[in-house]
Amino acid sequence: MKFQTYLIKYGEIGIKGKNRYMFEDALVRQIKHSLKDLDGLFHTYKAQGRVYVDCDGDYDGDEVVEALKRVFGIVGICPVVRVEDKGFEELKKDVIAYMDEVYPDKNITFKVESRRAKKTYPKKSMEINYDLGEAILYAFPEIRVDVHHPDVLLHVEVREEIYIYSEIIPGPGGMPIGTNGTAMLLLSGGIDSPVAGYMISKRGVGLEATYFHAPPYTSERAKQKVVDLAKQVSKYTGPIKLHVVNFTDIQLYIYELTIIMRRYMMRIAEHFAKEDGCLGLITGESIGQVASQTMQSLMATNDVCTLPVYRPLIGFDKQEIVEVSEKIGTYETSILPYEDCCTIFVAKHPVTKPNVNVIKKSEEKLADVIDDLMDQAISTVETIHVEA
Ligand code: ATP
Ligand code: MG
């Protein structure tokens, strides 16, 4: 069955009053963006407190649903069949045809729920419910009505045309991008940081990203892997401005002092974040996962940041992170074996309880040289605009 419209369900909580328009407008904008490269003609609009996507031309309904499943803010996608209003007898036939095609197995219960948006329609909604219910029962002897817990809730919405739908395909939830500013993701080639970016972005936050590489110790392929990860994440978040920072000289100079290295990463990422008006930093850290992510280490890393640092995976176990990464399609890329800069310069005996004062003293000694190296790393940044 060809569905001509998709009714978009979105969460109502937190979008009451003035925010509602902002939320809906952002949702419409993001939906349009997600469909812009698909074949077909799409008209996305809001009407009577709902958002609809009308489809025309030569479109692939499955592709449309796949795209909509990646738009944050969408809780459910209802594929709708639109029929012309040619009188109630015709509507009965249309509804029967719909049930027949969408539910080949008739051993189900149902209930009709109509809504009369067009007030001049000759039947009231109660009457529509009853009469269509009766017609369906008559057409399919096996089918039964259950008004309390039906297997199928058949919606019939009378507008200029009549909209028939019953399925709800789950969307990703969250808030539309553009309703909550932008943040800077520290994106490595690992499993965690793409998931972290996804999770913050899901709350309506646009993303930029910073990647530190160390050529020739890290390869061009390792960099391409990060670009590919950013591309995958951008299917959900929209375009990502990716800052690729050459970290080689800083890393060679610091060598195995992992926490100091992490502090410089944060400083540099924050520099680009502030330059572009980002409102926070995002990392894929999780308490205790490695030595640089103990509570003491996180405190030492955090110490150099003035922007808030969002760590959405902080309480996640690795397996839970892997599950999200599989769901969003980054896992396969993340596990490709190309070395990243942290694994090459990894300390053999990492400190798990760094002392911030000791670290500050060490940094003072390094400062003369590193400050220049940092300026150089910042001024030689390569900026890549990544878009799915
Ligand atoms: P990931 O799987 O995200 O690489 P990880 O488990 O390897 O994380 P670390 O290497 O300690 O953990 O990195 C912690 C966080 O620091 C990462 O989640 C990421 O946000 C950031 N990070 C680490 N390495 C880099 C890098 N080369 N470029 C940018 N950010 C990085
Ligand atoms: Mg890593």
Side-chain angles (χ1 to χ4, degrees):
M1 178 157 275
K2 188 95 172 166
F3 299 103
Q4 302 114 322
T5 287
Y6 294 87
L7 165 62
I8 306 300
K9 300 214 176 236
Y10 49 85
E12 300 282 332
I13 301 157
I15 54 160
K16 299 270 183 267
K18 253 166 90 180
N19 286 341
R20 186 181 182 111
Y21 292 93
M22 202 185 84
F23 181 98
E24 286 172 342
D25 290 346
L27 186 61
V28 167
R29 218 168 32 241
Q30 292 304 320
I31 291 172
K32 285 181 178 167
H33 184 79
S34 78
L35 300 174
K36 76 177 182 354
D37 293 330
L38 299 191
D39 288 335
L41 298 166
F42 306 105
H43 178 45
T44 306
Y45 58 97
K46 48 180 193 174
Q48 289 144 1
R50 285 150 172 238
V51 170
Y52 297 89
V53 181
D54 288 349
C55 308
D56 215 330
D58 199 9
Y59 65 94
D60 176 341
D62 292 341
E63 246 179 38
V64 173
V65 170
E66 277 316 302
L68 294 174
K69 275 169 139 179
R70 292 193 292 260
V71 178
F72 293 138
I74 296 182
V75 171
I77 304 153
C78 306
V80 179
V81 169
R82 265 176 10 226
V83 297
E84 257 179 82
D85 177 11
K86 292 189 198 151
F88 199 71
E89 287 310 307
E90 283 304 309
L91 178 59
K92 277 187 192 172
K93 286 186 202 158
D94 291 332
V95 165
I96 289 167
Y98 174 95
M99 289 301 282
D100 202 19
E101 204 167 325
V102 179
Y103 301 101
D105 177 4
K106 301 294 180 306
N107 191 13
I108 49 171
T109 60
F110 79 102
K111 173 187 175 181
V112 179
E113 183 134 307
S114 67
R115 185 172 135 143
R116 197 174 57 136
K118 182 178 160 188
K119 295 298 171 203
T120 54
Y121 197 73
K123 277 181 194 280
K124 290 212 167 106
S125 53
M126 286 296 279
E127 228 178 317
I128 301 173
N129 293 347
Y130 187 86
D131 292 350
L132 289 181
E134 189 181 45
I136 292 167
L137 282 173
Y138 192 74
F140 310 112
E142 277 170 83
I143 214 165
R144 284 156 297 130
V145 169
D146 183 340
V147 289
H148 299 297
H149 304 288
D151 299 326
V152 174
L153 187 59
L154 179 69
H155 294 269
V156 176
E157 225 177 272
V158 181
R159 298 150 58 89
E160 275 319 305
E161 289 175 300
I162 298 173
Y163 287 46
I164 305 169
Y165 63 94
S166 58
E167 293 173 293
I168 303 182
I169 301 161
M175 312 279 277
I177 304 288
T179 53
N180 250 319
T182 313
M184 176 65 76
L185 169 66
L186 281 88
L187 180 63
S188 70
I191 294 170
D192 306 333
S193 43
V195 173
Y198 168 87
M199 288 185 66
I200 293 295
S201 188
K202 184 166 176 244
R203 301 304 303 164
V205 180
L207 291 188
E208 289 200 16
T210 302
Y211 166 58
F212 298 93
H213 69 156
Y217 303 97
T218 62
S219 64
E220 194 58 27
R221 282 196 308 183
K223 175 177 144 189
Q224 186 56 43
K225 174 181 166 181
V226 173
V227 174
D228 291 345
L229 284 172
K231 197 172 257 186
Q232 183 63 31
V233 173
S234 78
K235 286 186 182 169
Y236 295 88
T237 66
I240 296 176
K241 181 175 171 188
L242 173 64
H243 309 257
V244 178
V245 177
N246 186 327
F247 206 55
T248 312
D249 292 340
I250 295 178
Q251 208 150 21
L252 285 173
Y253 194 68
I254 304 172
Y255 208 57
E256 288 184 349
L257 303 169
T258 309
I259 295 299
I260 295 184
M261 186 191 83
R262 307 251 336 113
R263 283 161 62 97
Y264 278 99
M265 282 187 175
M266 299 305 266
R267 287 182 175 110
I268 295 173
E270 185 169 279
H271 170 90
F272 293 118
K274 285 184 171 166
E275 209 170 62
D276 288 349
C278 295
L279 302 174
L281 302 173
I282 307 167
T283 74
E285 290 159 315
S286 141
I287 296 173
Q289 199 190 72
V290 288
S292 58
Q293 296 176 28
T294 61
M295 290 286 275
Q296 290 85 351
S297 299
L298 289 169
M299 192 174 146
T301 310
N302 210 68
D303 183 59
V304 298
C305 302
T306 58
L307 287 177
V309 182
Y310 296 104
R311 300 179 174 89
L313 309 182
I314 202 70
F316 276 45
D317 294 343
K318 195 72 186 189
Q319 188 49 37
E320 294 170 307
I321 302 170
V322 165
E323 276 163 27
V324 183
S325 96
E326 283 175 332
K327 189 183 84 182
I328 66 173
T330 51
Y331 184 72
E332 290 303 320
T333 308
S334 286
I335 59 170
L336 292 172
Y338 318 130
E339 66 299 331
D340 90 15
C341 68
C342 307
T343 49
I344 289 171
F345 296 89
V346 73
K348 288 185 193 63
H349 303 290
V351 183
T352 54
K353 292 183 183 163
N355 178 310
V356 177
N357 291 326
V358 175
I359 286 175
K360 278 186 177 155
K361 286 242 162 62
S362 312
E363 279 183 358
E364 274 166 27
K365 285 187 212 146
L366 302 171
D368 270 354
V369 177
I370 291 216
D371 287 355
D372 285 344
L373 295 180
M374 209 171 118
D375 290 346
Q376 210 177 321
I378 287 171
S379 63
T380 58
V381 66
E382 178 191 1
T383 309
I384 302 175
H385 289 273
V386 181
E387 196 168 349

